[in-house]
Each structure stands twice: as C-alpha cells, then as structure tokens.
Amino acid sequence: MHASQVRSAGLGLALASAFAFGGSGVAAKPLIEAGLDPLHVVWLRVAGAALVMLPVAWRHRDLPRREPALLAGFGLLAVAGVQAFYFAALSRIPVGVALLVEYLAPALLLGWVRYVQRRPVTRAAALGVVLAVTGLACVVEVWSGLGFDVLGLVLALAAACCQVGYFVLSDRGGDRARPAAPLGVIAYGLLAGAAVLTVVARPWNADWRVLAGTADLDGTAAPAWLLVGWIVLVATVVAYVTGVVSVRRLSPQVAGVVACLEAVVATVLAWVLLGEHLAAPQIAGGALVLVGALIAQSSAPGGAPGPAGGSGPAAAGERPPARGAAA
C-alpha cells in the first residue's frame, strides 16, 4: 500500500478511535447518576468487552506464550491503569483538571521518543502537541476548577503515563519480524485488565438492579442495558481496535495527538445528548485541538532512521505491511 494511503487509513482509524472513546462518558454518566459506582461502570465496560473478544483470544491462543510481557503490560497500563487512575483522580480533583492532565500524554510521549528512544522530534509534532494541549485546557475549562490536590494530580499524571504506555505498546506489538496481531493483543489486554479491575472494583458489591431499569439522557429515558451495550461494543471494543491499528499505521506520537480529539468529542456529545452547553472558549479550544491534530498528522509516520513524525525511508512506505494487519 502506498505511503499516503497508509497514512490516510491510519488517520481515519485514529479519528474513529477518538470518536468511539469520546462517546463513553455520555453513556456512562447516566448510569452513574442512576446509581452505579464509577468503578463498577469501568469494570462492566472492560469485563463486557473482554467477554466479546473471547473468540478472538482463542483464535490467537499462541500469543500468551509468544508475548507474555506485551500482553501483561497492555492489560495493566492501556486498560486497567488508565481507567483506574483516572477515576481515582476524579475523586480528588475537578473533572476538567483530571482530563487535561491525562491528555498531557502526547507531550509525555514526545519526551519518551526524544529522550528514551533517542529519536529527534519534528517541529510539526511538537507544535501540534502544544496547540492540542492548549485547546484542551479551553475545552475542559480548566480555570473553573483549579483545586490543588497533590495526590489527585499525581493520580491523573499516572493515568497520562499509562496512556503513553498504550501508544508505545500498541506500536511495539507490530515492530518485529513476526508482529503480534493487534486483535489478539487487545483481546488478552482486556482479559488482563478485567482481572485487575475485578480486584479493584469488587463488582459483587454493585447494585446491578440498575441495569434492569432506565437512565436519564437529558429528559429521555434510555434503557440502561442499551447504554451498557454502547460502552462495551463501541466505546471499548471498536475504540481499542481502531486505536491500536491506527498507531501501527501512523506513529505513536501522531496517533497520540489525534487522540486528543476524544475530549472534544466527549464535550460536543455531552452538549448534544446531555444538554451540557458549550461556552465560547470551549468552542475555540475545540478548534485549536483540531488545528494541532492536523499539524501533527501532516508529518508522515516516523521510522527508526528518521525523526519521529517526520520523513525518512520508513516514512516513504518501507514499513512492513504486516504492521497494519488487523487479523
């Protein structure tokens, strides 16, 4: 496949992932308001997705033997870590602050690429991150709740670090002679994440009767099971599948900046479906995030020889085709 086609497909998948992840909050909030604990919603989300992906796990049953560290890391960081640390942070600091700190991940990712992998970073990628993070600050209206809680900020930063792990591990699974099938990585990552979250969330204490009733969606009674289905199938299974494959077609740092659109999507959906109206700074911030994402993705996927997010032999289409395979 031509390099431009690979990048276009990767960008489309990254956008689909951001939109899918962004819809999780709109479906989860009515369930939480109906009586479910946030951690129980997270457990339901991950455990349900793991159940859906069981046939895929069976198909790739050789993966735990071949890639035990990759699967364990993906489950602990990309699935359980991001969710658990983010919700723990929410209990101590405002939602906007927690979301902004978590989405410092693209900036941290550039630091990983530059100082750990020792690869140069293009100006486009760096500028895209700066614009996206600035825009996010406007989207979440960070100035409306600057509660300074050291532990809360540490927890949110831990969520950001786990999100960096998500992008790095998603890319690492394809960076070898025999790439780990992305669907297999996701399936076993969800299984590992569900196991960890079961210990943390203790779902046996939840009031599951909520799922038999309805939840309020801005004055409309929506079946709770329908919202759960959306969270499991779209906001988790589709989101992770498109996200992991997009990282392999683009690069971790470019996919990371595009993922910032998740916060914009979540805010717009909350406006449309939950009646949470947007202010002018939020609209301007969303536009800034879009500009940052476009600038970052305008650079071709970086390969080992060239700058991260820049051009080079790998960026010209020399990446192994298997890296983008979704089977």
Side-chain angles (χ1 to χ4, degrees), residues 13-236:
L13 289 167
L15 290 171
S17 180
F19 274 81
F21 273 126
S24 63
V26 174
K29 185 172 181 177
L31 292 173
I32 293 171
E33 292 178 342
L36 278 182
D37 184 91
L39 271 180
H40 292 152
V41 175
V42 173
W43 178 85
L44 193 61
R45 172 185 185 179
V46 175
L51 187 62
V52 171
M53 296 292 284
L54 268 178
V56 178
W58 175 254
R59 179 183 176 186
H60 299 285
R61 53 189 177 277
D62 63 319
L63 265 183
R65 175 179 53 81
R66 286 174 46 211
E67 304 284 357
L70 173 64
L71 300 183
F74 194 87
L76 290 173
L77 297 177
V79 178
V82 172
Q83 304 292 339
F85 282 125
Y86 175 65
F87 278 91
L90 289 184
S91 67
R92 306 188 66 93
I93 60 178
V95 175
V97 177
L99 191 61
L100 177 63
V101 174
E102 181 186 352
Y103 275 90
L104 290 176
L108 297 176
L109 185 58
L110 284 184
W112 173 275
V113 171
R114 178 66 181 87
Y115 297 107
V116 177
Q117 296 183 338
R118 297 190 179 282
R119 292 168 52 197
V121 175
T122 63
R123 292 181 180 178
L127 177 60
V129 167
V130 171
L131 291 176
V133 172
T134 303
L136 279 173
C138 297
V139 170
V140 302
E141 292 187 319
V142 65
W143 55 82
S144 66
L146 289 174
F148 185 75
D149 183 296
V150 175
L151 180 56
L153 292 176
V154 169
L155 290 169
L157 187 60
C161 292
C162 288
Q163 196 173 63
V164 171
Y166 161 71
F167 291 110
V168 171
L169 291 172
S170 296
D171 184 63
R172 184 176 177 81
D175 193 16
R176 54 197 69 199
R178 187 183 177 189
L183 290 183
V185 172
I186 295 163
Y188 282 101
L190 288 169
L191 286 170
V196 172
L197 288 171
T198 297
V199 176
V200 175
R202 300 180 180 181
W204 49 86
N205 293 330
D207 182 11
W208 296 120
R209 293 173 297 180
V210 172
L211 301 183
T214 60
D216 180 60
L217 199 63
D218 193 26
T220 301
W225 63 265
L226 185 62
L227 296 177
V228 171
W230 176 273
I231 292 173
V232 169
L233 296 176
V234 178
T236 307

Side-chain angles (χ1 to χ4, degrees), residues 206-303:
D207 182 11
W208 296 120
R209 293 173 297 180
V210 172
L211 301 183
T214 60
D216 180 60
L217 199 63
D218 193 26
T220 301
W225 63 265
L226 185 62
L227 296 177
V228 171
W230 176 273
I231 292 173
V232 169
L233 296 176
V234 178
T236 307
V237 175
V238 172
Y240 273 106
V241 170
T242 53
V244 170
V245 177
S246 74
V247 172
R248 297 192 184 187
R249 287 178 179 267
L250 295 169
S251 65
Q253 61 276 7
V254 173
V257 176
V258 177
C260 288
L261 292 173
E262 178 189 336
V264 179
V265 172
T267 304
V268 172
L269 288 178
W271 182 18
V272 175
L273 298 177
L274 299 181
E276 298 180 355
H277 299 290
L278 294 178
Q282 290 177 297
I283 297 174
L288 201 55
V289 172
L290 287 171
V291 172
L294 287 172
I295 290 175
Q297 70 83 33
S298 64
S299 298

